[in-house]
Amino acid sequence: MKIISMLHPLVIYRYKQAIRGKLLPQKKYAAIHNAGKANLPEACRYLGAGYLTGSFGGGIFSIESAHYWLKKATDLGDVPAWYWRARLALTTQNIESESLNFIPGLPEISIGDIPSGLDAAIKFCKYGQDLGDNSAKHLRLRLLYMQAGENTDYAITILHEAANNNQSWAMIELAEHCLQDDERAAPSKGRARNSTMYWLSRVASQTENQNGKYHLLMAKAMEQGIFPKNSTNFRKHLKCAAEAQIPEAWFRYGVFLLKADRDGLNAEAWLRKAADAGYSDAAATLGDWITMGCPDISDEIGISWYMKAITMGHVGTMLHISRMIMIGKYSKIKIHEAKKWLREIINSGKCGPYEEEAKLIMLAMENKNLSRSR
């Protein structure tokens, strides 16, 4: 203990040099590890967070090491480490035991010994929040929202609390609810439609507004006339949302490129991405574009996209193909297949006005068969 107390000031000094980037990588890692072994709480947190995110020790990701150091940090009274323990709990719930990456020199533990899951993460955030850590507080609100279910009254209450704490993610969620005419999302009992602009304007004033969902909602708000729409801004928001890897934005941006730029090549690339991600409207649009707008491309390719949309349950395409069969087109598709789709629409009870159209097409098919049999 006497030797440690003599070395401690030097250990702290070397640790501070390391995190300021004033040491070479190997010496940096050694200095931080020495500080952790000497029970410097922030060094333990630094190590735990680094192993959790793969940003320490040459990119090593190790759940076991992250748990060891973060638990040590909280045991030593480091408040911000509770936030990181919550993140560890969320990560651990999706990790299998054979994927653990053991670091030599630490006690081996099983995945079952590491607290995991949403409840554990919320508990750790509560510890950090009670000790005054804002990161833990903000993460706890987000996790409580996930736990509550996004359309419940409690979830909306949590969103308002998070928005009052200036959390952009909550404002974006509230804006989406307002766009869907959910009056609960409006501030001070305002109208939902007007409140969409309120929430998105608040997000726009923050540096975090590169969120892809924010850009998608801005584009939708422009389409609905909530924000003034000009082509330049509309294009910018759709492109940002698409580049943020949102399938709906891939579809919308692809359609925009088709209509505004007549840029079939790039439009097709975005629409294909959306269709491959399971976005049925994109597959249907590719079918329309190829069969009706591309005379130099075989209809068979367009029909294959239509069929993909149908396998994804696209009701509009089911009706369209059925109508085409009625007028003698797409003869390779058997009429019994179309009847099967029409029955699905009629019996679903979820397709509203499409059900009546399906009944009319089905009746026309039956009459056509009768007239042929005579």
Side-chain angles (χ1 to χ4, degrees), residues 197 218 221-223 225-230 233-234:
M197 181 179 288
M218 282 293 294
M222 287 179 177
E223 284 180 331
I226 296 171
F227 275 94
K229 180 180 178 182
N230 69 65
N233 284 337
F234 187 65

Side-chain angles (χ1 to χ4, degrees), residues 45-288:
R45 185 211 325 143
Y46 190 105
L47 287 165
Y51 283 123
L52 177 60
T53 59
S55 61
F56 185 76
I60 297 172
F61 170 76
S62 171
I63 290 292
E64 182 203 34
S65 299
H67 171 69
Y68 173 83
W69 289 112
L70 290 172
K71 185 176 185 304
K72 187 172 182 179
T74 53
D75 288 347
L76 291 167
D78 186 75
V79 174
W82 287 113
Y83 163 82
W84 287 101
R85 288 195 70 181
R87 286 188 52 175
L88 173 63
L90 295 173
T91 303
T92 305
Q93 68 182 339
N94 298 315
I95 298 290
E96 297 179 358
S97 58
E98 55 267 26
S99 69
L100 285 178
N101 188 3
F102 294 104
I103 305 297
L106 298 181
E108 289 194 7
I109 57 172
S110 70
I111 195 78
D113 293 327
I114 303 175
S116 67
L118 191 58
D119 289 340
I122 291 172
K123 180 180 73 173
F124 290 148
C125 283
K126 183 66 165 61
Y127 292 152
Q129 178 179 336
D130 290 346
L131 293 167
D133 185 58
N134 278 332
S135 294
K137 175 183 178 181
H138 296 154
L139 179 58
R140 180 171 177 264
L141 288 171
R142 193 158 195 168
L143 297 180
L144 287 172
Y145 172 66
M146 290 168 55
Q147 189 182 58
E150 62 182 29
N151 287 318
T152 63
D153 288 343
Y154 181 47
I156 303 298
T157 299
I158 292 167
L159 287 179
H160 280 291
E161 184 179 348
N164 289 337
N165 280 275
N166 214 32
Q167 295 300 290
S168 61
W169 68 269
M171 297 176 203
I172 290 168
E173 294 295 327
L174 287 167
E176 183 174 36
H177 279 280
C178 287
L179 206 58
Q180 297 166 353
D181 284 327
D182 187 343
E183 299 290 347
R184 298 172 302 171
S188 304
K189 299 183 180 179
R191 299 291 298 175
R193 183 178 172 82
N194 297 335
S195 298
T196 305
M197 181 179 288
Y198 170 78
W199 291 122
L200 290 177
S201 295
R202 279 190 61 183
V203 175
S205 67
Q206 298 189 7
T207 57
E208 300 173 57
N209 67 3
Q210 296 311 305
N211 183 296
K213 192 171 184 179
Y214 159 78
H215 288 290
L216 179 60
L217 292 176
M218 282 293 294
K220 287 184 174 182
M222 287 179 177
E223 284 180 331
Q224 295 185 25
I226 296 171
F227 275 94
K229 180 180 178 182
N230 69 65
S231 182
T232 301
N233 284 337
F234 187 65
R235 179 194 300 273
K236 181 194 79 172
H237 287 301
L238 279 179
K239 188 171 187 289
C240 287
E243 289 173 346
Q245 307 304 310
I246 300 175
E248 182 182 355
W250 295 339
F251 163 67
R252 287 175 174 272
Y253 190 45
V255 171
F256 174 82
L257 291 173
L258 274 181
K259 291 182 176 179
D261 296 352
R262 306 294 180 191
D263 183 358
L265 188 63
N266 283 317
E268 183 181 356
W270 287 108
L271 290 170
R272 279 177 177 273
K273 281 187 70 172
D276 290 341
Y279 206 80
S280 62
D281 281 348
T285 300
L286 282 166
D288 288 341

Side-chain angles (χ1 to χ4, degrees), residues 318 321-343 361-370 372:
M318 294 177 187
I321 296 294
S322 298
R323 287 193 294 266
M324 292 298 101
I325 292 170
M326 276 292 300
I327 63 174
K329 292 193 72 175
Y330 305 156
S331 57
K332 289 186 179 179
I333 303 173
K334 303 301 181 184
I335 195 166
H336 69 84
E337 287 190 68
K339 286 183 176 180
K340 182 181 73 174
W341 305 330
L342 294 171
R343 288 191 201 97
I361 297 172
M362 180 73 86
L363 181 60
M365 284 181 174
E366 298 293 348
N367 290 337
K368 193 171 183 179
N369 284 341
L370 282 172
R372 280 179 179 172

